[in-house]
Amino acid sequence: ILISSVSGKARLNSLQVGGGVLRSGFNGLGMNYMTYVDYASESTTVTAIADSAGDTITINGESQESGTPKTINLSPGGNKVTITVTSADTTVQNTYTLMINRLEKGLIAAGDHHALALKPDGTVVAWGYQEKGEATVPEDLSDAVYVATGTYHSLAEKSDGTVIGWGSNSYLQTEAPSNVKNPLSIDTGSSFSQALMPDGTVINWGSSTNDPPSDIPEILELDVGGGHSIALANDGYITCW
């Protein structure tokens, strides 16, 4: 009988992604990881090293030698990779989840009257209309990985997976909930903000009239307009609200 455990046997010593840096670093006891790669990357490599000699590794269900890079083909948006480690005596098994997000947006963003650009060093440049502070980037923001703009507010996801906002906050649209951590993408409407999470759920904050339906399936891609949202679900259908 295989026993799932995050301690003792069947652990990874290292997990690396070509062209990407694991968010929050690697910890062999953590089971979920995320990274971003450039949109131009149609594939990348995943290298998993077992903590103990004799342990076996599978990546997406295929046997993989410890320390040998495996090529992963990437679709735009989120790409889920599962790495399973089985102890040498086959009594313990652990499965790690790696989400590789192939960025297709988030490097530049345009609101109604202002714009943002994310620079390679993690700083953000803003220009345009300044009625409610939407183009005033926080001075201490130096590690952004994703940006989004609304009508009068702006958002940025930081390298630690948290989301910050600035500008108009009449509906608390700049204050991301504490459960918004390491989203796949963020987007903004006129008075609300949304995040697509690794598990395919959508979190809304700001105006509650834009809360997603309770019965929507797993979401693969999200886009937001001034007062509505559109999403591609894992069943291939488009859902709007």
Side-chain angles (χ1 to χ4, degrees):
I1 298 175
L2 292 175
I3 301 172
S4 179
S5 170
V6 296
S7 62
K9 300 178 180 179
R11 292 184 299 172
L12 288 179
N13 176 267
S14 174
L15 180 62
Q16 300 175 355
V17 179
V21 178
L22 293 182
R23 302 282 292 280
S24 303
F26 175 77
N27 177 340
L29 299 180
M31 307 306 289
N32 299 289
Y33 297 93
M34 179 185 293
T35 188
Y36 288 95
V37 297
D38 188 83
Y39 182 73
S41 301
E42 296 183 352
S43 66
T44 189
T45 58
V46 172
T47 305
I49 301 177
D51 192 47
S52 299
D55 288 358
T56 58
I57 295 174
T58 63
I59 298 180
N60 287 345
E62 298 181 357
S63 179
Q64 187 71 18
E65 184 177 351
S66 177
T68 301
K70 179 176 178 60
T71 299
I72 304 294
N73 294 322
L74 300 175
S75 300
N79 297 264
K80 184 178 180 180
V81 179
T82 57
I83 303 101
T84 300
V85 184
T86 304
S87 62
D89 60 8
T90 70
T91 61
V92 179
Q93 187 177 84
N94 285 313
T95 297
Y96 296 79
T97 299
L98 169 64
M99 185 65 71
I100 303 175
N101 193 23
R102 180 182 169 193
L103 280 175
E104 56 183 330
K105 57 183 181 179
L107 300 180
I108 56 174
D112 283 13
H113 304 289
H114 76 291
L116 302 178
L118 173 59
K119 299 177 66 176
D121 64 358
T123 59
V124 176
V125 177
W127 63 97
Y129 210 42
Q130 185 64 289
E131 180 174 340
K132 299 183 183 294
E134 60 268 36
T136 302
V137 180
E139 294 183 359
D140 59 350
L141 179 58
S142 60
D143 59 346
V145 297
Y146 200 106
V147 293
T149 54
T151 301
Y152 293 113
H153 75 289
S154 303
L155 297 180
E157 182 184 352
K158 301 173 64 177
S159 60
D160 64 359
T162 59
V163 175
I164 64 169
W166 61 94
S168 175
N169 197 33
S170 54
Y171 290 88
L172 303 181
Q173 62 265 42
T174 68
E175 300 180 22
S178 60
N179 60 336
V180 176
K181 186 74 180 289
N182 293 321
L184 290 180
S185 66
I186 52 176
D187 214 336
T188 54
S190 59
S191 58
F192 67 99
S193 303
Q194 293 183 343
L196 173 60
M197 304 306 293
D199 63 357
T201 59
V202 175
I203 297 176
N204 180 85
W205 65 97
S207 175
S208 61
T209 60
N210 299 98
D211 286 340
S214 59
D215 59 347
I216 61 173
E218 180 181 349
I219 299 302
L220 302 178
E221 186 174 350
L222 173 71
D223 206 355
V224 176
H228 70 290
S229 302
I230 182 170
L232 173 64
N234 65 351
D235 59 6
Y237 286 94
I238 299 294
T239 299
C240 304
W241 65 91

